[in-house]
Amino acid sequence: AQTVTQSQPEMSVQEAETVTLSCTYDTSESDYYLFWYKQPPSRQMILVIRQEAYKQQNATENRFSVNFQKAAKSFSLKISDSQLGDAAMYFCAYRSGDTGNQFYFGTGTSLTVIP
Amino acid sequence: GAGVSQSPSNKVTEKGKDVELRCDPISGHTALYWYRQSLGQGLEFLIYFQGNSAPDKSGLPSDRFSAERTGGSVSTLTIQRTQQEDSAVYLCASSPRGLGFAEQFFGPGTRLTVL
């Protein structure tokens, strides 16, 4: 089974600053999809950004962007101009392109935004 | 509302009792997932339904856990003879299709506490 590793249990950032959350994964597949989800205290998981493995261009969504390094199996999330509302748990997830029934999630990174 | 709904939002039960957790997916979504999220942990895949196909039950931790999906819509996760280690948040997600790039839309979860 694929594994997803988030090595930073907790991170903090000053409001308006930039923070990068790391994620690595282990797979032998060439076709897959990667996701970052945000889970605020309300527990509602929300998709932040996603990346197809066959695309070399890094995905961006407003203040959120990824650094996808396929050879290194790394998928980090960069949050620019951090806002108080960005405070949440962030989960990295992997989905196979071939047998894509399951999503594999990391253990999450708790992000604190300091005013 | 148009989102995924789950009920109850919180459930407290005594060890040994059976519980039923309900998930109403987004209308028209053919794929439905159940996850378990223990404190400080990532999401643990439990079971996956896709249309009329046989469900993927590979994540169910024991035979005390079962799930069904009626009419391709509402799903019920049943835990029999609950144990204290079953205490967790149970998340349901639906997706417009089972493979590929499609994101999952999550419900708010049910927090289960087994005393």
Side-chain angles (χ1 to χ4, degrees):
Chain A
Q2 284 72 21
T3 57
V4 178
T5 302
Q6 293 180 251
S7 59
Q8 305 154 316
E10 298 179 346
M11 291 282 285
S12 62
V13 62
Q14 291 285 145
E15 194 175 4
E17 295 296 310
T18 296
V19 65
T20 298
L21 309 183
S22 66
C23 172
T24 58
Y25 55 94
D26 183 24
T27 185
S28 58
E29 299 176 333
S30 59
D31 183 23
Y32 52 88
Y33 306 91
L34 298 165
F35 304 81
W36 277 98
Y37 281 89
K38 171 185 177 181
Q39 186 180 39
S42 66
R43 293 201 312 242
Q44 186 78 52
M45 294 273 284
I46 304 164
L47 178 70
V48 174
I49 198 166
R50 57 188 168 188
Q51 174 87 38
E52 299 131 302
Y54 64 85
K55 285 190 175 179
Q56 293 186 345
Q57 185 175 5
N58 289 325
T60 62
E61 288 286 344
N62 300 313
R63 298 183 295 107
F64 299 87
S65 62
V66 299
N67 183 6
F68 174 48
Q69 300 290 328
K70 191 171 184 179
K73 298 179 184 176
S74 172
F75 183 61
S76 60
L77 174 69
K78 185 172 81 171
I79 306 174
S80 304
D81 185 26
S82 298
Q83 301 176 0
L84 295 178
D86 295 334
M89 282 289 288
Y90 286 82
F91 292 95
C92 178
Y94 171 104
R95 184 182 201 181
S96 169
D98 297 322
T99 62
N101 290 356
Q102 293 190 27
F103 281 63
Y104 298 89
F105 287 82
T107 51
T109 296
S110 177
L111 179 66
T112 300
V113 180
I114 303 167
Chain B
V4 177
S5 61
Q6 292 186 245
S7 61
S9 57
N10 288 283
K11 176 72 175 177
V12 179
T13 190
E14 294 179 347
K15 178 181 175 181
K17 301 283 189 182
D18 297 351
V19 295
E20 287 188 351
L21 312 179
R22 178 187 169 104
C23 172
D24 283 88
I26 293 173
S27 178
H29 281 194
T30 58
L32 187 147
Y33 302 76
W34 282 99
Y35 295 91
R36 179 168 69 177
Q37 185 178 25
S38 301
L39 187 63
Q41 300 296 313
L43 276 66
E44 176 189 4
F45 167 80
L46 296 178
I47 189 169
Y48 161 77
F49 295 89
Q50 171 57 33
N52 295 320
S53 302
D56 178 354
K57 304 179 181 180
S58 60
L60 294 178
S62 77
D63 59 7
R64 297 187 295 105
F65 288 72
S66 63
E68 62 177 20
R69 189 178 184 191
T70 54
S73 180
V74 172
S75 177
T76 301
L77 176 69
T78 301
I79 308 174
Q80 296 178 312
R81 305 180 302 280
T82 52
Q83 303 295 314
Q84 289 182 332
E85 59 263 29
D86 299 334
S87 296
V89 174
Y90 289 82
L91 292 170
C92 174
S94 70
S95 182
R97 58 188 181 276
L99 293 175
F101 203 41
E103 68 176 278
Q104 293 181 320
F105 295 81
F106 283 84
T110 293
R111 182 178 297 281
L112 174 66
T113 303
V114 182
L115 301 177

